[in-house]
Amino acid sequence: MTAQRTWTGRWVAERAGVGLVGSDHLPDLVGLALRENRKRAHLLVSTVLGKHVPQRPSVVHGAGLDLGLRVRALLGAEAAARAVVLGYAETATALGHSVADGLDAPCLHSTRRPVPGVRPLGGFAEEHSHATAHLLLPADPRFLAGDGPLVLVDDELSTGTTVLNTIRELHARHPRSHYVLVALVDLRTEADRRRLADFAAELGVRLDLVATASGAVRLPGDILDRAERLIADVGPAPELPPAAAPAPLVRVPLDWPTALPDGGRHGFTPADRARLDAALPRLAGRLADALGGGLGGSLGGGLGDGDGDGGGGGLVGELPDRILVLGFEELMYAPLRLAGALADRLGGDRVRYSTTTRSPVLAVDDPGYAIRTRLAFPAHDDPQDDAPRERYAYNVAPGADPDRRFDAVVLVVDDVADTAALAEGERALLTQLRQVADRVVLAVLPSYRPEAPVHPSLPFPEPSAFPEPLAFPEPLAFPQPLAFPQPLRGPGFSSYRPDEVAWLLKDLSGVPLEAPTEEREEAVQHGGAHYAESLPVEYRPSPEYQELYHQALRASARRMAVAVGTVAETLLRERGRGLVLASLARAGTPVGILVRRWLAFAHGFDAPHYAVSIVRGRGLDPVALRYLAAHHHASGVVFVDGWTGKGAITRELAAALAGTSFDPGLAVLADPGRCVRTYGTRDDFLIPSACLNSTVSGLVSRTVLRGDLIGPDDFHGAKHYTELADGDVSAAFLDTVAGHFAAVRDEVALAAGRLATDPDRTPDWAGWAAVERIAAEYGIGSVNLVKPGVGETTRVLLRRVPWRVLARRGAGADLDHVRLLAAQRGVPVEEVDDLPYTCVGLIHPRYSRGATGASGTAVVGEA
């Protein structure tokens, strides 16, 4: 450490009593900060990783290259030629790539982003992290199947537990004789080193370590309490001062090479590396042009094709002195290489590189603290959440030191993250970047999407022998409570028969949870509450509406029976008699019961059936998931729902199950959103149970998740509305649909047979794209306020504050109940052409209590 530079760990060392000992150059490699994470209070902040601290791209890439060359020398040419590199998300994805560059080996990195259509090869836990579950999603399942050395790369080794979890998981699948651990810093205790050595000896494998520096962190016994007090004393990061005018924003078309992976999420080979190397000069030229310093001049300011977007002083024709290339979470390697190529093209010492992150860290604008400034912004790659989790960009804003200001920021994201949430709103990342730099350039890479694997099925109609349940990865062991809560059953909870369904819920029937729809909508949209913390007042249908429901049931029951049979036969063929049904309470529960009834009717098979809670933005009930894992083989559990809208719950389910043994595939009767593989139809038809609430769902409320009611070992909660028993049609609904089973058996055989041989079952998420288009056309800032399909539109009219309904021109009786509900609430129904759904419900996008009248009906006024 040079005398002229203040160590960026001094502030934490002095105030929290954290000590760092080891290699002489260790303080040059890491500083210290405090995490907002009760699992581990301190954060070692690398100065050469390119995550939290902007650094020269040559330094970041060079650190990994040097480690890769050292690994190559350790292995020798023959073994190095068979090596595979595995890097850890999110911080070590670029480091893993860079090590692979030095080793000239293929690279894969773990990921926390589930990819529709790609089944995980495995997974493991990073137990101290803010987000613990890792997935492995190689495009080729043979990627890790060789017997050559496996090189595991992380930015730091603190205990070695993550590495141990990884080796245990992968060695059980693909045993090999040699593992190499690579890290920038090795800070394990002697006990941790012995533990890993003993583990290697137990497996009978060679385990080597290559690190840039080693040492140890000395922590006081009360470090968590000290950190909590310091964080409280410092307080929240200051708001950005308002800019005189937002900086110009340029969207640059990079022309990324076709089918070239944007990183190692699905694997990156030496051939991919060669293609990227060849393309980098051209790609850097595009960026230089956008910055005003290339041969082509400036592209101007706008997100469009040349018009300026906002004010601010332009840099047309000028070469910025300080440029930051900012990557996006796991997308680190491609931005790093782009930054390096841009630095080579522009010359001088102009370019720095860092990336955004999920990790919440305290910011202190002090030279002796590693995280000087923090931009906090809503997640923009997960737009289905009602309350998006925050993401962060550190040391990008200049803080109190104007010399730290960047003249230009080049933000590099993939197309999954190129959403409205990236650019719209005061807290959006692009909005904030335009306040702290003089020019912002947005470069969007196509997220590499490998072709989904084909899952062969046995011929229909009747398998002579049912297959064993599919063997999915078993990467994580759920911690088991001493005793699980007991499932609830009717008639004590719900009006269903006790054998129809076991509710993995906590009975909150005696707790007052209902609030008027308008109050709930205001609280949800203005950030004061989550929708699962209260319940809407149960809608009591008018006689006119009840008659519409019965008409809809008579018209749709046969069609619904065909869909039920098709789903049931598909699940039985693909899962066998180990099948366990887990319906998503509550709309999925009648469907789960009907699927169970079909299996009993057609095959004499009584499948176990549970109802579990899933909450958007909060995930699947973890206690319910542990219960299922403890009582059944996870590979046999199938999650069931009624229909898809845009696919928000499908994504929520996949995210909740990431890194577990459960298959994230959802089975539904109707999939108009085209986001699942197992469905009865992809038509948007009326499932009559969508017309009502608890009175068609066993008199059970929607589920509740509130911290003062649901403890860590409790299931999510719900209420049983016994007072509504006189209007209960739950059993009659089931009996009406099941009454068609015998008549549709041949039709089901044909439909299920077609589905089994259909090559086009792969989700294409067309519904999500349509919702984004509708949101843009109607000026709605969040896709969460666009609810597509008959079922979702009905829910909007029953539970939310509706703004308007879009109906496909010529839609018939399927929409009679929607038109009636809209009339009762004073909501306009607008007929439109080219609507991919039968109808779409729009929630009021700027709701306040003034958006409705005293009667609760919509007020005609400004949209």
Side-chain angles (χ1 to χ4, degrees), residues 546 549-550 692 695-696 699 725 727-734:
Q546 289 184 53
Y549 159 77
H550 288 295
L692 300 174
T695 53
V696 78
L699 298 180
D728 186 21
V729 296
S730 303
F733 169 76
L734 298 172

Side-chain angles (χ1 to χ4, degrees), residues 322 398-406:
R322 281 176 51 82
D401 184 358
D403 291 338
R404 299 176 67 245
R405 179 182 177 87
F406 289 103

Side-chain angles (χ1 to χ4, degrees), residues 513-525 529-537 702 799-800 847:
L513 292 167
E514 290 76 11
T517 299
E518 293 76 22
E519 291 182 14
R520 295 181 76 247
E521 193 65 43
E522 184 177 35
V524 170
Q525 289 201 29
H530 189 278
Y531 77 91
E533 295 174 353
S534 64
L535 292 172
V537 177
R702 67 181 307 165
R799 304 176 185 172
R800 307 297 291 269
Y847 178 72

Side-chain angles (χ1 to χ4, degrees), residues 266-488:
H266 305 296
F268 197 86
T269 67
D272 295 326
R273 187 177 302 118
R275 289 188 65 204
L276 177 60
D277 289 343
L280 280 172
R282 173 178 56 80
L283 299 173
R286 293 292 186 96
L287 295 178
D289 288 346
L291 289 165
L295 298 177
S298 173
L299 292 178
L303 274 174
D305 295 323
D307 294 330
D309 183 16
L315 294 174
V316 177
E318 300 176 7
L319 193 62
D321 289 325
R322 281 176 51 82
I323 301 166
L324 175 66
V325 176
L326 184 63
F328 157 63
E329 297 185 25
E330 295 176 7
L331 183 65
M332 295 184 68
Y333 180 67
L336 170 62
R337 299 300 309 280
L338 287 169
L342 181 64
D344 291 343
R345 183 181 182 90
L346 298 182
D349 188 23
R350 303 176 185 273
V351 180
R352 296 294 185 271
Y353 158 81
S354 65
T355 51
T356 65
T357 178
R358 297 184 177 196
S359 301
V361 184
L362 177 71
V364 179
D365 198 357
D366 185 292
Y369 188 83
I371 303 294
R372 299 281 297 273
T373 62
R374 156 172 140 166
L375 300 180
F377 52 92
H380 51 91
D381 63 334
D382 193 21
Q384 77 269 19
D385 285 350
D386 279 348
R389 295 178 293 275
E390 280 191 328
R391 302 291 192 259
Y392 309 94
Y394 296 113
N395 293 314
V396 175
D401 184 358
D403 291 338
R404 299 176 67 245
R405 179 182 177 87
F406 289 103
D407 300 317
V409 176
V410 179
L411 176 63
V412 183
V413 301
D414 62 15
D415 53 12
V416 174
D418 183 22
T419 64
L422 177 64
E424 298 178 7
E426 293 181 357
R427 297 184 64 248
L429 177 57
L430 281 175
T431 302
Q432 296 191 66
L433 291 178
R434 296 175 69 189
Q435 293 179 259
V436 301
D438 298 320
R439 174 170 291 257
V440 176
V441 173
L442 175 62
V444 180
L445 307 184
S447 180
Y448 180 66
R449 296 171 175 85
E451 294 184 2
V454 177
H455 303 291
S457 299
L458 295 176
F460 190 81
E462 187 68 23
S464 57
F466 290 99
E468 291 298 315
L470 295 176
F472 295 116
E474 301 276 353
L476 300 181
F478 287 108
Q480 302 295 335
L482 294 177
F484 286 102
Q486 288 301 305
L488 304 174

Side-chain angles (χ1 to χ4, degrees), residues 547-558:
E547 179 54 30
L548 276 179
Y549 159 77
H550 288 295
Q551 290 178 14
L553 179 58
R554 289 191 293 269
S556 300
R558 179 186 175 91

